[in-house]
Amino acid sequence: MIPRRDLPLLLLGGALVAARPAWADDDEDKRAARWKEVREAIFGDRAIGDGTSVVGLDAPPRAEDAALVPVALLVKDPARVSGVYLVIDGNPGPLAAHVHFGALADPRRLTLRVRVDQYTDMHAVAETRDGALLAVSHFIKAAGGCSTPMGSQLDASLADAGFMRLRLIGPVAPGQPVQALLMVRHPNFNGMQMDPVTRNYTPARFIQTVDIGFEGQPVLRLDSDISLASDPAIGFGFTPPKAGKLTVAVRDSSGAAWHEAFDVAPLS
Amino acid sequence: MSPLTRRAALFGACACCALATRRAVAASDFVEIAPGMVFRRGVDEQASVANADAIANTGFIVGAESVAVIDPGGSLADGQALRAAIAARTTRPVRFVVLSHVHPDHIFGAAAFTEGAPKIVGHARLPAALATRGEYYRRHLAELLGAEAAGPVVTPNLLVADTHTLDLGDRRLTLRAHRPAHTDTDLTLFDERTGTLIAADLLFIGRVPSFDGDLKGWLAELDALAAIRAARVVPGHGPVTTDWPAAAADLRRYLSLLLTETRAAIAAGVPIEQAATRVAASERGRWALFDDYNPRNVLTAYHQLEWE
């Protein structure tokens, strides 16, 4: 009998193939070595301490769809933290996102959807106001997310690139934090999808910065890279001091920029 | 008993020993479901080394002059088993290989049918879908099965944008290209002689559907298929049925639930990761492989419906 390999699930556009890619790596020593390499590339020789009491990372143990993995960055000590990095160690571009929180941010919960390319550790690294780095990690089983072909929304993502929507989750009241979901239509091509006929890759074109403010005051700035899933959806909290406009500026790697303003008014 | 069925029974007798080694496909798995129409039911499993990705239904139809393959199988190895099953039953040439849609479990057997250069038939959008997905599918199938067993990507050279009729010699197969439903490359076939509808992956019976197209579109295309008076229907996954259109009721219920509960989750601000564990949860006991596909179906539906 053919021995069954210990197989993770690899999703193939709706049809599943269980596979254990040759490069999948569940060896802890190798993952630790990878993290050392990645963190030195991103943070140089800065010390990174245990962030358990300050930051959290919510992600599934196994990706249902490696090209759309929901991730939540949790800040447990908002007063101390100025920003959070999301690092997906095994991705071709490991620094998936850096979020810098502004005065009106409620940093307790920030959500993203990412691509995950292989079995890997992910790290949430909080930066404190006094410049310390504190990290937690999460191991995820996923494969192929970065080269997964674009799904059924590709045509819409291309046609409507830069179109935005804002959903407010829960009631709005002056001075009270509220959760919001910002959705941006954009294919977020990462340059890794190949056309076997032309032997060309679709050129990378992805969202690099998202600046969110409220009536001239900063909420947050997101610097991102090829690891965000197509049609990026960013969940964040903010505290509007009064009724007003939430403003969003998005720029992608081709230099295209889009601006939008959303009315945020208390329900009354 | 028709000659085909008798021969299938003989093959069945000697296939028992093969079962012990868990061969992917035994000759007895190929069953004549109507005169000159033979299908092999795929196993309700994930693709694996043991099953060689023979997880979708595959088969062939024999006319007076030639043979049409309808879904050549999930790997080159699977396609070779189908080719052997055809050779055991007829010497007529395979003139058409129909690829019902882009998913690898249905099409990677196509490379087994190069002899005689049959027409490779697909939806008008299939070449574009294969251009963006084919190599990705091939690479990952090769990682699982090895490159030789997986086979290369085969591109269609007879495209169907609306309807098209294949003539097998005194036997006409009508192909119909659908709007985005299960995928955006779905074809179905109707065999006029036996009144058989080959619904491919527009119909799942017993095994939870995978969803990769347009949810509202799929429900609409099911309505259109339900209006067809068919003596029997061949699903893409699950058993052949004569109970049409009632056999689509479970699928319709699942897709409707996926649609309404995903919409409700979005409207209520339920985050996508929570929706993936909640939506359509009442369907869990009703389908094989539910946990392998349903959460991903929800993610796909959520991403699609949140932009409505």
Side-chain angles (χ1 to χ4, degrees), chain A residues 2 5 10-11 13-14 16 18 109 113 147-148 152 165 167 196 231, chain B residues 46 49 103 131 139-140 144 210 212 273 292-293 296 303-304 306 308:
Chain A
I2 299 161
R5 292 180 274 178
L10 177 67
L11 289 129
L16 284 156
R109 182 179 179 85
R113 300 174 191 170
S147 53
T148 302
S152 62
R165 273 193 186 171
R167 289 179 187 276
D231 297 334
Chain B
Q46 301 285 27
V49 173
H103 285 159
R139 191 169 70 244
H140 290 292
L144 179 68
S210 66
D212 189 24
E273 70 276 10
D292 293 313
Y293 288 87
R296 185 196 156 99
H303 179 198
Q304 195 169 94
E306 71 185 342
E308 274 188 320

PDB file of all heavy atoms in Angstrom, chain A residues 2 5 10-11 13-14 16 18 109 113 147-148 152 165 167 196 231, chain B residues 46 49 103 131 139-140 144 210 212 273 292-293 296 303-304 306 308:
ATOM      1  N   ILE A   2       0.434   2.180  -0.784  1.00  0.00           N
ATOM      2  CA  ILE A   2       1.212   3.425  -0.869  1.00  0.00           C
ATOM      3  C   ILE A   2       1.067   4.188   0.445  1.00  0.00           C
ATOM      4  O   ILE A   2      -0.052   4.395   0.920  1.00  0.00           O
ATOM      5  CB  ILE A   2       0.675   4.294  -2.020  1.00  0.00           C
ATOM      6  CG1 ILE A   2       0.826   3.531  -3.340  1.00  0.00           C
ATOM      7  CG2 ILE A   2       1.396   5.632  -2.077  1.00  0.00           C
ATOM      8  CD1 ILE A   2      -0.040   4.053  -4.440  1.00  0.00           C
ATOM      9  N   ARG A   5       0.955  10.353   2.863  1.00  0.00           N
ATOM     10  CA  ARG A   5       1.742  11.400   3.497  1.00  0.00           C
ATOM     11  C   ARG A   5       0.844  12.211   4.425  1.00  0.00           C
ATOM     12  O   ARG A   5      -0.371  12.172   4.322  1.00  0.00           O
ATOM     13  CB  ARG A   5       2.355  12.302   2.424  1.00  0.00           C
ATOM     14  CG  ARG A   5       3.400  11.533   1.623  1.00  0.00           C
ATOM     15  CD  ARG A   5       4.015  12.398   0.568  1.00  0.00           C
ATOM     16  NE  ARG A   5       3.217  12.393  -0.642  1.00  0.00           N
ATOM     17  CZ  ARG A   5       3.530  13.121  -1.720  1.00  0.00           C
ATOM     18  NH1 ARG A   5       4.554  13.915  -1.703  1.00  0.00           N
ATOM     19  NH2 ARG A   5       2.785  13.051  -2.788  1.00  0.00           N
ATOM     20  N   LEU A  10      -4.589  21.773   0.303  1.00  0.00           N
ATOM     21  CA  LEU A  10      -4.164  22.817  -0.607  1.00  0.00           C
ATOM     22  C   LEU A  10      -5.336  23.091  -1.517  1.00  0.00           C
ATOM     23  O   LEU A  10      -5.832  22.208  -2.174  1.00  0.00           O
ATOM     24  CB  LEU A  10      -2.965  22.316  -1.402  1.00  0.00           C
ATOM     25  CG  LEU A  10      -2.469  23.274  -2.444  1.00  0.00           C
ATOM     26  CD1 LEU A  10      -1.898  24.497  -1.761  1.00  0.00           C
ATOM     27  CD2 LEU A  10      -1.404  22.606  -3.256  1.00  0.00           C
ATOM     28  N   LEU A  11      -5.765  24.298  -1.510  1.00  0.00           N
ATOM     29  CA  LEU A  11      -6.992  24.609  -2.228  1.00  0.00           C
ATOM     30  C   LEU A  11      -6.694  25.014  -3.652  1.00  0.00           C
ATOM     31  O   LEU A  11      -5.872  25.864  -3.907  1.00  0.00           O
ATOM     32  CB  LEU A  11      -7.737  25.715  -1.505  1.00  0.00           C
ATOM     33  CG  LEU A  11      -8.314  25.185  -0.198  1.00  0.00           C
ATOM     34  CD1 LEU A  11      -7.930  26.066   0.946  1.00  0.00           C
ATOM     35  CD2 LEU A  11      -9.782  25.016  -0.324  1.00  0.00           C
ATOM     36  N   GLY A  13      -8.678  26.474  -6.292  1.00  0.00           N
ATOM     37  CA  GLY A  13      -9.811  27.121  -6.943  1.00  0.00           C
ATOM     38  C   GLY A  13     -11.101  26.352  -6.801  1.00  0.00           C
ATOM     39  O   GLY A  13     -11.852  26.227  -7.743  1.00  0.00           O
ATOM     40  N   GLY A  14     -11.359  25.842  -5.631  1.00  0.00           N
ATOM     41  CA  GLY A  14     -12.632  25.172  -5.419  1.00  0.00           C
ATOM     42  C   GLY A  14     -12.503  23.666  -5.434  1.00  0.00           C
ATOM     43  O   GLY A  14     -13.276  22.983  -4.808  1.00  0.00           O
ATOM     44  N   LEU A  16     -10.145  20.625  -4.236  1.00  0.00           N
ATOM     45  CA  LEU A  16      -9.085  20.504  -3.247  1.00  0.00           C
ATOM     46  C   LEU A  16      -8.100  19.429  -3.644  1.00  0.00           C
ATOM     47  O   LEU A  16      -8.473  18.367  -4.090  1.00  0.00           O
ATOM     48  CB  LEU A  16      -9.702  20.104  -1.900  1.00  0.00           C
ATOM     49  CG  LEU A  16     -10.409  21.224  -1.164  1.00  0.00           C
ATOM     50  CD1 LEU A  16     -11.423  20.632  -0.221  1.00  0.00           C
ATOM     51  CD2 LEU A  16      -9.406  22.059  -0.396  1.00  0.00           C
ATOM     52  N   ALA A  18      -4.970  17.597  -1.627  1.00  0.00           N
ATOM     53  CA  ALA A  18      -4.155  17.527  -0.426  1.00  0.00           C
ATOM     54  C   ALA A  18      -2.711  17.377  -0.867  1.00  0.00           C
ATOM     55  O   ALA A  18      -2.387  16.559  -1.710  1.00  0.00           O
ATOM     56  CB  ALA A  18      -4.572  16.326   0.407  1.00  0.00           C
ATOM     57  N   ARG A 109      -8.253  46.230  18.027  1.00  0.00           N
ATOM     58  CA  ARG A 109      -8.472  45.136  17.068  1.00  0.00           C
ATOM     59  C   ARG A 109      -8.337  45.676  15.654  1.00  0.00           C
ATOM     60  O   ARG A 109      -9.104  46.556  15.244  1.00  0.00           O
ATOM     61  CB  ARG A 109      -9.854  44.526  17.276  1.00  0.00           C
ATOM     62  CG  ARG A 109     -10.152  43.349  16.348  1.00  0.00           C
ATOM     63  CD  ARG A 109     -11.539  42.772  16.613  1.00  0.00           C
ATOM     64  NE  ARG A 109     -11.802  41.670  15.700  1.00  0.00           N
ATOM     65  CZ  ARG A 109     -11.413  40.411  15.916  1.00  0.00           C
ATOM     66  NH1 ARG A 109     -10.774  40.097  17.011  1.00  0.00           N
ATOM     67  NH2 ARG A 109     -11.682  39.470  15.032  1.00  0.00           N
ATOM     68  N   ARG A 113      -6.843  40.689   5.593  1.00  0.00           N
ATOM     69  CA  ARG A 113      -6.925  39.393   4.910  1.00  0.00           C
ATOM     70  C   ARG A 113      -5.639  39.251   4.113  1.00  0.00           C
ATOM     71  O   ARG A 113      -5.308  40.141   3.333  1.00  0.00           O
ATOM     72  CB  ARG A 113      -8.130  39.342   3.977  1.00  0.00           C
ATOM     73  CG  ARG A 113      -9.456  39.544   4.698  1.00  0.00           C
ATOM     74  CD  ARG A 113     -10.593  39.632   3.700  1.00  0.00           C
ATOM     75  NE  ARG A 113     -11.828  40.086   4.328  1.00  0.00           N
ATOM     76  CZ  ARG A 113     -12.913  40.427   3.641  1.00  0.00           C
ATOM     77  NH1 ARG A 113     -12.908  40.355   2.312  1.00  0.00           N
ATOM     78  NH2 ARG A 113     -14.006  40.826   4.269  1.00  0.00           N
ATOM     79  N   SER A 147       0.647  32.374  -5.072  1.00  0.00           N
ATOM     80  CA  SER A 147       0.538  32.144  -6.512  1.00  0.00           C
ATOM     81  C   SER A 147      -0.851  31.643  -6.906  1.00  0.00           C
ATOM     82  O   SER A 147      -1.093  31.315  -8.062  1.00  0.00           O
ATOM     83  CB  SER A 147       1.596  31.141  -6.971  1.00  0.00           C
ATOM     84  OG  SER A 147       1.537  29.968  -6.188  1.00  0.00           O
ATOM     85  N   THR A 148      -1.768  31.584  -5.934  1.00  0.00           N
ATOM     86  CA  THR A 148      -3.134  31.162  -6.236  1.00  0.00           C
ATOM     87  C   THR A 148      -3.730  32.045  -7.324  1.00  0.00           C
ATOM     88  O   THR A 148      -3.634  33.259  -7.238  1.00  0.00           O
ATOM     89  CB  THR A 148      -4.021  31.266  -4.985  1.00  0.00           C
ATOM     90  OG1 THR A 148      -3.457  30.477  -3.965  1.00  0.00           O
ATOM     91  CG2 THR A 148      -5.426  30.780  -5.270  1.00  0.00           C
ATOM     92  N   SER A 152     -13.087  34.615  -8.704  1.00  0.00           N
ATOM     93  CA  SER A 152     -14.195  35.043  -9.553  1.00  0.00           C
ATOM     94  C   SER A 152     -14.386  36.559  -9.551  1.00  0.00           C
ATOM     95  O   SER A 152     -15.107  37.091 -10.381  1.00  0.00           O
ATOM     96  CB  SER A 152     -15.481  34.373  -9.069  1.00  0.00           C
ATOM     97  OG  SER A 152     -15.759  34.775  -7.737  1.00  0.00           O
ATOM     98  N   ARG A 165     -15.527  51.113  -0.054  1.00  0.00           N
ATOM     99  CA  ARG A 165     -16.732  51.088   0.771  1.00  0.00           C
ATOM    100  C   ARG A 165     -16.327  51.122   2.228  1.00  0.00           C
ATOM    101  O   ARG A 165     -15.277  50.589   2.597  1.00  0.00           O
ATOM    102  CB  ARG A 165     -17.522  49.813   0.535  1.00  0.00           C
ATOM    103  CG  ARG A 165     -18.473  49.903  -0.593  1.00  0.00           C
ATOM    104  CD  ARG A 165     -19.411  48.727  -0.530  1.00  0.00           C
ATOM    105  NE  ARG A 165     -20.243  48.733  -1.718  1.00  0.00           N
ATOM    106  CZ  ARG A 165     -21.060  47.737  -2.049  1.00  0.00           C
ATOM    107  NH1 ARG A 165     -21.128  46.675  -1.275  1.00  0.00           N
ATOM    108  NH2 ARG A 165     -21.792  47.811  -3.121  1.00  0.00           N
ATOM    109  N   ARG A 167     -17.952  50.127   6.006  1.00  0.00           N
ATOM    110  CA  ARG A 167     -19.047  49.612   6.830  1.00  0.00           C
ATOM    111  C   ARG A 167     -18.746  49.942   8.279  1.00  0.00           C
ATOM    112  O   ARG A 167     -17.660  49.623   8.762  1.00  0.00           O
ATOM    113  CB  ARG A 167     -19.172  48.093   6.707  1.00  0.00           C
ATOM    114  CG  ARG A 167     -19.684  47.611   5.394  1.00  0.00           C
ATOM    115  CD  ARG A 167     -19.729  46.080   5.393  1.00  0.00           C
ATOM    116  NE  ARG A 167     -20.063  45.585   4.078  1.00  0.00           N
ATOM    117  CZ  ARG A 167     -21.316  45.461   3.623  1.00  0.00           C
ATOM    118  NH1 ARG A 167     -22.337  45.771   4.410  1.00  0.00           N
ATOM    119  NH2 ARG A 167     -21.539  45.027   2.401  1.00  0.00           N
ATOM    120  N   PRO A 196       0.778  30.256 -18.575  1.00  0.00           N
ATOM    121  CA  PRO A 196       1.589  29.200 -19.188  1.00  0.00           C
ATOM    122  C   PRO A 196       1.694  29.347 -20.706  1.00  0.00           C
ATOM    123  O   PRO A 196       2.570  28.762 -21.331  1.00  0.00           O
ATOM    124  CB  PRO A 196       0.847  27.920 -18.815  1.00  0.00           C
ATOM    125  CG  PRO A 196      -0.554  28.347 -18.600  1.00  0.00           C
ATOM    126  CD  PRO A 196      -0.494  29.754 -18.074  1.00  0.00           C
ATOM    127  N   ASP A 231      -8.706  42.701  -3.288  1.00  0.00           N
ATOM    128  CA  ASP A 231      -9.788  43.481  -2.679  1.00  0.00           C
ATOM    129  C   ASP A 231      -9.557  43.650  -1.171  1.00  0.00           C
ATOM    130  O   ASP A 231     -10.346  43.160  -0.345  1.00  0.00           O
ATOM    131  CB  ASP A 231     -11.163  42.837  -2.923  1.00  0.00           C
ATOM    132  CG  ASP A 231     -11.523  42.779  -4.399  1.00  0.00           C
ATOM    133  OD1 ASP A 231     -11.024  43.620  -5.172  1.00  0.00           O
ATOM    134  OD2 ASP A 231     -12.299  41.885  -4.773  1.00  0.00           O
TER     135      ASP A 231
ATOM    136  N   GLN B  46     -10.811  13.665  -0.724  1.00  0.00           N
ATOM    137  CA  GLN B  46      -9.870  14.638  -1.251  1.00  0.00           C
ATOM    138  C   GLN B  46      -8.907  13.904  -2.180  1.00  0.00           C
ATOM    139  O   GLN B  46      -8.679  12.703  -2.038  1.00  0.00           O
ATOM    140  CB  GLN B  46      -9.069  15.274  -0.110  1.00  0.00           C
ATOM    141  CG  GLN B  46      -9.920  15.966   0.905  1.00  0.00           C
ATOM    142  CD  GLN B  46     -10.435  17.285   0.397  1.00  0.00           C
ATOM    143  OE1 GLN B  46     -10.595  17.487  -0.796  1.00  0.00           O
ATOM    144  NE2 GLN B  46     -10.682  18.198   1.306  1.00  0.00           N
ATOM    145  N   VAL B  49      -2.573  10.476  -3.118  1.00  0.00           N
ATOM    146  CA  VAL B  49      -1.755   9.536  -3.879  1.00  0.00           C
ATOM    147  C   VAL B  49      -2.556   8.261  -4.140  1.00  0.00           C
ATOM    148  O   VAL B  49      -2.538   7.693  -5.240  1.00  0.00           O
ATOM    149  CB  VAL B  49      -0.464   9.218  -3.099  1.00  0.00           C
ATOM    150  CG1 VAL B  49       0.323   8.113  -3.802  1.00  0.00           C
ATOM    151  CG2 VAL B  49       0.391  10.483  -2.975  1.00  0.00           C
ATOM    152  N   HIS B 103     -11.848  22.969 -13.329  1.00  0.00           N
ATOM    153  CA  HIS B 103     -11.267  22.345 -12.138  1.00  0.00           C
ATOM    154  C   HIS B 103     -10.437  21.098 -12.469  1.00  0.00           C
ATOM    155  O   HIS B 103     -10.840  20.281 -13.295  1.00  0.00           O
ATOM    156  CB  HIS B 103     -12.361  22.015 -11.126  1.00  0.00           C
ATOM    157  CG  HIS B 103     -12.860  23.232 -10.412  1.00  0.00           C
ATOM    158  ND1 HIS B 103     -14.080  23.284  -9.780  1.00  0.00           N
ATOM    159  CD2 HIS B 103     -12.287  24.446 -10.232  1.00  0.00           C
ATOM    160  CE1 HIS B 103     -14.246  24.487  -9.240  1.00  0.00           C
ATOM    161  NE2 HIS B 103     -13.170  25.201  -9.502  1.00  0.00           N
ATOM    162  N   ALA B 131      -5.267  29.699 -18.740  1.00  0.00           N
ATOM    163  CA  ALA B 131      -4.071  30.528 -18.831  1.00  0.00           C
ATOM    164  C   ALA B 131      -3.672  31.062 -17.457  1.00  0.00           C
ATOM    165  O   ALA B 131      -2.500  31.173 -17.142  1.00  0.00           O
ATOM    166  CB  ALA B 131      -4.302  31.682 -19.803  1.00  0.00           C
ATOM    167  N   ARG B 139       1.186  22.255 -11.197  1.00  0.00           N
ATOM    168  CA  ARG B 139       2.326  22.189 -10.280  1.00  0.00           C
ATOM    169  C   ARG B 139       1.928  21.506  -8.969  1.00  0.00           C
ATOM    170  O   ARG B 139       2.647  20.648  -8.458  1.00  0.00           O
ATOM    171  CB  ARG B 139       2.853  23.606 -10.017  1.00  0.00           C
ATOM    172  CG  ARG B 139       4.182  23.630  -9.301  1.00  0.00           C
ATOM    173  CD  ARG B 139       4.790  25.023  -9.287  1.00  0.00           C
ATOM    174  NE  ARG B 139       4.073  25.953  -8.429  1.00  0.00           N
ATOM    175  CZ  ARG B 139       3.432  27.029  -8.845  1.00  0.00           C
ATOM    176  NH1 ARG B 139       3.398  27.323 -10.127  1.00  0.00           N
ATOM    177  NH2 ARG B 139       2.808  27.827  -7.997  1.00  0.00           N
ATOM    178  N   HIS B 140       0.774  21.882  -8.452  1.00  0.00           N
ATOM    179  CA  HIS B 140       0.377  21.304  -7.169  1.00  0.00           C
ATOM    180  C   HIS B 140      -0.096  19.857  -7.302  1.00  0.00           C
ATOM    181  O   HIS B 140       0.129  19.045  -6.404  1.00  0.00           O
ATOM    182  CB  HIS B 140      -0.665  22.199  -6.496  1.00  0.00           C
ATOM    183  CG  HIS B 140      -0.072  23.492  -6.019  1.00  0.00           C
ATOM    184  ND1 HIS B 140       0.826  23.541  -4.983  1.00  0.00           N
ATOM    185  CD2 HIS B 140      -0.188  24.757  -6.476  1.00  0.00           C
ATOM    186  CE1 HIS B 140       1.222  24.791  -4.796  1.00  0.00           C
ATOM    187  NE2 HIS B 140       0.623  25.554  -5.693  1.00  0.00           N
ATOM    188  N   LEU B 144       1.733  16.417  -5.587  1.00  0.00           N
ATOM    189  CA  LEU B 144       1.026  15.340  -4.907  1.00  0.00           C
ATOM    190  C   LEU B 144       1.290  13.986  -5.552  1.00  0.00           C
ATOM    191  O   LEU B 144       1.617  13.019  -4.860  1.00  0.00           O
ATOM    192  CB  LEU B 144      -0.482  15.631  -4.919  1.00  0.00           C
ATOM    193  CG  LEU B 144      -1.377  14.585  -4.266  1.00  0.00           C
ATOM    194  CD1 LEU B 144      -1.138  14.547  -2.761  1.00  0.00           C
ATOM    195  CD2 LEU B 144      -2.846  14.866  -4.561  1.00  0.00           C
ATOM    196  N   SER B 210     -18.363  22.409  -4.203  1.00  0.00           N
ATOM    197  CA  SER B 210     -17.361  23.456  -4.100  1.00  0.00           C
ATOM    198  C   SER B 210     -17.860  24.607  -4.956  1.00  0.00           C
ATOM    199  O   SER B 210     -18.471  24.392  -6.002  1.00  0.00           O
ATOM    200  CB  SER B 210     -16.002  22.965  -4.582  1.00  0.00           C
ATOM    201  OG  SER B 210     -16.041  22.678  -5.962  1.00  0.00           O
ATOM    202  N   ASP B 212     -17.052  28.246  -6.821  1.00  0.00           N
ATOM    203  CA  ASP B 212     -15.922  29.002  -7.362  1.00  0.00           C
ATOM    204  C   ASP B 212     -16.398  29.936  -8.479  1.00  0.00           C
ATOM    205  O   ASP B 212     -15.617  30.311  -9.337  1.00  0.00           O
ATOM    206  CB  ASP B 212     -14.909  27.975  -7.911  1.00  0.00           C
ATOM    207  CG  ASP B 212     -13.585  28.593  -8.302  1.00  0.00           C
ATOM    208  OD1 ASP B 212     -13.253  29.665  -7.778  1.00  0.00           O
ATOM    209  OD2 ASP B 212     -12.898  27.999  -9.147  1.00  0.00           O
ATOM    210  N   GLU B 273     -14.229  35.633   9.229  1.00  0.00           N
ATOM    211  CA  GLU B 273     -13.727  34.387   9.827  1.00  0.00           C
ATOM    212  C   GLU B 273     -14.787  33.727  10.707  1.00  0.00           C
ATOM    213  O   GLU B 273     -14.822  32.511  10.818  1.00  0.00           O
ATOM    214  CB  GLU B 273     -12.428  34.639  10.610  1.00  0.00           C
ATOM    215  CG  GLU B 273     -12.558  35.425  11.884  1.00  0.00           C
ATOM    216  CD  GLU B 273     -12.569  36.933  11.675  1.00  0.00           C
ATOM    217  OE1 GLU B 273     -12.667  37.385  10.514  1.00  0.00           O
ATOM    218  OE2 GLU B 273     -12.505  37.677  12.680  1.00  0.00           O
ATOM    219  N   ASP B 292     -14.409  20.114   4.683  1.00  0.00           N
ATOM    220  CA  ASP B 292     -13.308  20.380   3.760  1.00  0.00           C
ATOM    221  C   ASP B 292     -13.637  21.505   2.779  1.00  0.00           C
ATOM    222  O   ASP B 292     -12.737  22.116   2.211  1.00  0.00           O
ATOM    223  CB  ASP B 292     -12.958  19.119   2.966  1.00  0.00           C
ATOM    224  CG  ASP B 292     -12.367  18.035   3.862  1.00  0.00           C
ATOM    225  OD1 ASP B 292     -11.480  18.359   4.651  1.00  0.00           O
ATOM    226  OD2 ASP B 292     -12.817  16.881   3.773  1.00  0.00           O
ATOM    227  N   TYR B 293     -14.914  21.727   2.526  1.00  0.00           N
ATOM    228  CA  TYR B 293     -15.277  22.706   1.498  1.00  0.00           C
ATOM    229  C   TYR B 293     -16.132  23.866   2.011  1.00  0.00           C
ATOM    230  O   TYR B 293     -16.030  24.976   1.487  1.00  0.00           O
ATOM    231  CB  TYR B 293     -16.031  22.023   0.344  1.00  0.00           C
ATOM    232  CG  TYR B 293     -15.156  21.161  -0.523  1.00  0.00           C
ATOM    233  CD1 TYR B 293     -14.916  19.821  -0.205  1.00  0.00           C
ATOM    234  CD2 TYR B 293     -14.547  21.683  -1.661  1.00  0.00           C
ATOM    235  CE1 TYR B 293     -14.098  19.029  -0.991  1.00  0.00           C
ATOM    236  CE2 TYR B 293     -13.736  20.892  -2.461  1.00  0.00           C
ATOM    237  CZ  TYR B 293     -13.517  19.571  -2.121  1.00  0.00           C
ATOM    238  OH  TYR B 293     -12.707  18.785  -2.907  1.00  0.00           O
ATOM    239  N   ARG B 296     -14.502  27.302   3.074  1.00  0.00           N
ATOM    240  CA  ARG B 296     -13.963  28.025   1.924  1.00  0.00           C
ATOM    241  C   ARG B 296     -15.079  28.562   1.034  1.00  0.00           C
ATOM    242  O   ARG B 296     -14.990  29.674   0.510  1.00  0.00           O
ATOM    243  CB  ARG B 296     -13.050  27.114   1.102  1.00  0.00           C
ATOM    244  CG  ARG B 296     -12.401  27.878  -0.023  1.00  0.00           C
ATOM    245  CD  ARG B 296     -11.807  26.969  -1.089  1.00  0.00           C
ATOM    246  NE  ARG B 296     -11.716  27.688  -2.347  1.00  0.00           N
ATOM    247  CZ  ARG B 296     -10.599  28.245  -2.792  1.00  0.00           C
ATOM    248  NH1 ARG B 296      -9.513  28.172  -2.103  1.00  0.00           N
ATOM    249  NH2 ARG B 296     -10.600  28.895  -3.926  1.00  0.00           N
ATOM    250  N   HIS B 303     -16.781  37.209   0.147  1.00  0.00           N
ATOM    251  CA  HIS B 303     -16.008  38.161  -0.658  1.00  0.00           C
ATOM    252  C   HIS B 303     -16.833  38.659  -1.846  1.00  0.00           C
ATOM    253  O   HIS B 303     -16.767  39.821  -2.223  1.00  0.00           O
ATOM    254  CB  HIS B 303     -14.712  37.485  -1.111  1.00  0.00           C
ATOM    255  CG  HIS B 303     -13.835  38.345  -1.975  1.00  0.00           C
ATOM    256  ND1 HIS B 303     -12.846  37.839  -2.763  1.00  0.00           N
ATOM    257  CD2 HIS B 303     -13.812  39.686  -2.183  1.00  0.00           C
ATOM    258  CE1 HIS B 303     -12.243  38.826  -3.419  1.00  0.00           C
ATOM    259  NE2 HIS B 303     -12.816  39.956  -3.084  1.00  0.00           N
ATOM    260  N   GLN B 304     -17.643  37.765  -2.409  1.00  0.00           N
ATOM    261  CA  GLN B 304     -18.465  38.146  -3.556  1.00  0.00           C
ATOM    262  C   GLN B 304     -19.650  39.018  -3.141  1.00  0.00           C
ATOM    263  O   GLN B 304     -19.913  40.052  -3.736  1.00  0.00           O
ATOM    264  CB  GLN B 304     -18.979  36.855  -4.202  1.00  0.00           C
ATOM    265  CG  GLN B 304     -19.549  36.981  -5.568  1.00  0.00           C
ATOM    266  CD  GLN B 304     -19.758  35.586  -6.173  1.00  0.00           C
ATOM    267  OE1 GLN B 304     -20.835  35.018  -6.078  1.00  0.00           O
ATOM    268  NE2 GLN B 304     -18.728  35.033  -6.765  1.00  0.00           N
ATOM    269  N   GLU B 306     -20.185  40.745  -0.330  1.00  0.00           N
ATOM    270  CA  GLU B 306     -19.968  42.001   0.407  1.00  0.00           C
ATOM    271  C   GLU B 306     -19.844  43.191  -0.547  1.00  0.00           C
ATOM    272  O   GLU B 306     -19.938  44.333  -0.119  1.00  0.00           O
ATOM    273  CB  GLU B 306     -18.730  41.908   1.305  1.00  0.00           C
ATOM    274  CG  GLU B 306     -17.412  41.898   0.580  1.00  0.00           C
ATOM    275  CD  GLU B 306     -16.216  41.694   1.499  1.00  0.00           C
ATOM    276  OE1 GLU B 306     -16.341  41.894   2.720  1.00  0.00           O
ATOM    277  OE2 GLU B 306     -15.147  41.323   0.977  1.00  0.00           O
ATOM    278  N   GLU B 308     -21.973  43.482  -3.132  1.00  0.00           N
ATOM    279  CA  GLU B 308     -23.277  43.649  -3.797  1.00  0.00           C
ATOM    280  C   GLU B 308     -23.734  45.104  -3.713  1.00  0.00           C
ATOM    281  O   GLU B 308     -23.529  45.759  -2.693  1.00  0.00           O
ATOM    282  CB  GLU B 308     -24.332  42.782  -3.118  1.00  0.00           C
ATOM    283  CG  GLU B 308     -24.380  41.380  -3.653  1.00  0.00           C
ATOM    284  CD  GLU B 308     -25.572  40.588  -3.100  1.00  0.00           C
ATOM    285  OE1 GLU B 308     -25.882  40.728  -1.915  1.00  0.00           O
ATOM    286  OE2 GLU B 308     -26.155  39.829  -3.869  1.00  0.00           O
TER     287      GLU B 308
END
